Amino acid sequence: MKNGKKRVLRIVFCILMIFILITAGWYVWRMVKYGAYSKGMEKNDFATWIVPRYKYTDADGYDYGVKYPGFLSFTGNLSVGLPATDEDVLTDFLIIWPKFFGRYEYGASLSVGEKNYQIYINADGSAVYPEDREVVDQCKENIGALLRRAEEMWGLE
């Protein structure tokens, strides 16, 4: 009976140690990868110890954000928003998802008239899906400005 309990305790201990090692590795990766993006930014009001969030507004009024990945996730995001005005506090913005091995995926929230669109775009600002080409063409200037600001802020490829 004693050997059975010791064996179960060893297995539980090994599982616990593996979990701790995986968590520690993930935490270090997250801090290194996203720490570079959030350098010089201030903590966002919505930040928690498990999901840090940072914000920054430049001299031209562009808003930048960094959201670290949640617990054991590899997906966080970067954001750049056009300057807000008193008439339009919800402006067009770009979302960038850094991938594990250094690539990026891009999305945009765009307003055309009274309609809002959430679409995927390529790094060059073109639409990923053909059905979004018309919206992207109408917002090409804003998309270009947001991509340039993201490149200046984070040195994206």
Side-chain angles (χ1 to χ4, degrees):
M1 200 66 149
K2 275 189 168 183
N3 286 338
K5 283 184 179 181
K6 281 186 179 182
R7 187 164 197 244
V8 168
L9 285 175
R10 277 191 202 138
I11 291 171
V12 169
F13 179 76
C14 286
I15 291 171
L16 183 62
M17 290 309 296
I18 290 169
F19 178 74
I20 289 170
L21 288 172
I22 289 170
T23 301
W26 166 83
Y27 183 81
V28 168
W29 169 83
R30 182 183 82 157
M31 295 308 291
V32 169
K33 180 142 183 127
Y34 284 83
Y37 296 128
S38 61
K39 188 173 278 184
M41 298 176 122
E42 65 183 73
K43 273 207 172 180
N44 186 317
D45 296 337
F46 300 107
T48 64
W49 67 273
I50 196 77
V51 183
R53 296 169 191 251
Y54 292 87
K55 64 181 180 176
Y56 172 73
T57 302
D58 69 14
D60 295 327
Y62 283 81
D63 294 314
Y64 300 85
V66 175
K67 179 194 162 287
Y68 284 49
F71 185 65
L72 294 184
S73 170
F74 294 102
T75 306
N77 66 61
L78 314 175
S79 64
V80 182
L82 290 175
T85 63
D86 290 337
E87 300 83 40
D88 188 13
V89 293
L90 299 175
T91 63
D92 292 353
F93 62 92
L94 179 69
I95 297 284
I96 304 158
W97 295 278
K99 300 319 254 176
F100 188 78
F101 290 111
R103 297 180 310 106
Y104 301 93
E105 287 185 6
Y106 298 82
S109 179
L110 306 167
S111 297
V112 178
E114 294 294 314
K115 289 191 174 184
N116 294 319
Y117 299 90
Q118 284 78 40
I119 61 173
Y120 289 101
I121 61 173
N122 295 307
D124 65 359
S126 62
V128 169
Y129 300 109
E131 60 267 21
D132 295 326
R133 282 190 189 132
E134 185 178 329
V135 173
V136 167
D137 288 343
Q138 291 178 22
C139 299
K140 187 173 262 174
E141 188 176 313
N142 286 351
I143 293 170
L146 293 169
L147 286 168
R148 281 189 299 280
R149 293 293 177 141
E151 172 61 34
E152 290 170 11
M153 181 70 169
W154 295 297
L156 307 178
E157 302 157 8

